[in-house]
Amino acid sequence: MLKMLIMGPAGAGKGTMSELIASNFKVAHISSGDMFREEIKHQTHLGLQAKSYITQGLLVPDEVTIQMVGNRLKKDDCQNGYLLDGFPRSLAQAEAIEDFNINAVINLQIDEHLLVDRIVFRRICQQCGTIYNIKLNPIENAEICPKCCGKLYQRNDDTYEKLMVRLESYREETKPVIDYYRQKGIVYDVDAGQTIDDVYKQIESILKNVAEEETK
């Protein structure tokens, strides 16, 4: 059974790859953000605890997040495998789920210059939500959506300055986690600067090999 993590900085393609992995390997995709929203929506005890921190602009403590993930992984849709996205974010979190026996960590790596191009030149249509990149895939008018003629906008955190802050934070958070799993021999580095098809082919090959090893 595949019990996986996917890691990578903003813009590396975690969301796209997670959807493809979950669909093709028939595993549950567990995004930490979605999990928080679901718990808060249903006003569970853990959800209310998380909300109390989030509304103050504070990080949700490890013990709350860990318990939430533990409960989520016990649900029926995780019995055939799962893909964790956005968790663990700290060494303490990684150590806390040791008993779940993670067997593959997909580490999306990408050149910083390409990452800047992907994020800083990203534009989103206010009307239909279509995402464009006005540098990597130029369109006739960088302010108007060619699909619906809606206005294109740049997200507040899609600036160079904010991206640099996010990247530094990501490096500080994830290096101990990746080192922890690399010592276990289960980190698989993937070049996320390729086309979507080529990135997924590399991931698919890795996961098929892991799945085969698990059945031996």
Side-chain angles (χ1 to χ4, degrees), residues 9-13 109-123 132-136 154-155 157-168 171 192-193:
Q109 298 181 318
I110 185 168
D111 180 85
E112 190 173 291
H113 296 293
L114 178 55
L115 199 58
V116 169
D117 285 348
R118 282 188 180 184
I119 297 295
V120 175
F121 295 96
R122 180 164 60 188
R123 300 292 184 272
Y132 299 94
N133 190 293
I134 60 173
K135 179 176 180 179
L136 300 178
Q154 182 181 33
R155 292 194 329 191
D157 57 351
D158 281 355
T159 64
Y160 178 82
E161 292 75 17
K162 290 187 177 179
L163 174 60
M164 290 301 105
V165 172
R166 288 157 71 190
L167 280 177
E168 185 59 31
R171 292 188 196 102

Side-chain angles (χ1 to χ4, degrees), residues 73-151:
L73 296 183
K74 291 173 185 174
K75 291 190 176 181
D76 290 342
D77 65 339
C78 293
Q79 301 315 301
N80 293 320
Y82 48 81
L83 174 66
L84 286 169
D85 175 4
F87 180 93
R89 288 184 181 273
S90 68
L91 185 56
Q93 291 179 354
E95 291 172 339
I97 61 168
E98 175 74 23
D99 291 344
F100 288 105
N101 298 316
I102 299 299
N103 53 27
V105 177
I106 300 299
N107 182 33
L108 299 179
Q109 298 181 318
I110 185 168
D111 180 85
E112 190 173 291
H113 296 293
L114 178 55
L115 199 58
V116 169
D117 285 348
R118 282 188 180 184
I119 297 295
V120 175
F121 295 96
R122 180 164 60 188
R123 300 292 184 272
I124 305 169
C125 176
Q126 286 182 340
Q127 191 162 305
C128 70
T130 301
I131 299 174
Y132 299 94
N133 190 293
I134 60 173
K135 179 176 180 179
L136 300 178
N137 296 291
I139 53 178
E140 188 173 343
N141 187 331
E143 296 182 358
I144 301 296
C145 174
K147 284 187 178 179
C148 70
C149 296
K151 186 177 180 181

Side-chain angles (χ1 to χ4, degrees), residues 14-55:
K14 289 194 302 297
T16 300
M17 289 304 120
S18 293
E19 287 179 11
L20 289 169
I21 293 167
S23 174
N24 291 305
F25 285 88
K26 310 302 179 189
V27 296
H29 172 210
I30 303 169
S31 158
S32 57
D34 290 345
M35 184 180 61
F36 279 127
R37 285 186 284 273
E38 190 70 13
E39 294 278 349
I40 291 170
K41 176 184 174 183
H42 289 94
Q43 296 191 330
T44 65
H45 174 65
L46 289 173
L48 292 174
Q49 280 187 283
K51 185 179 180 180
S52 70
Y53 290 96
I54 292 169
T55 53

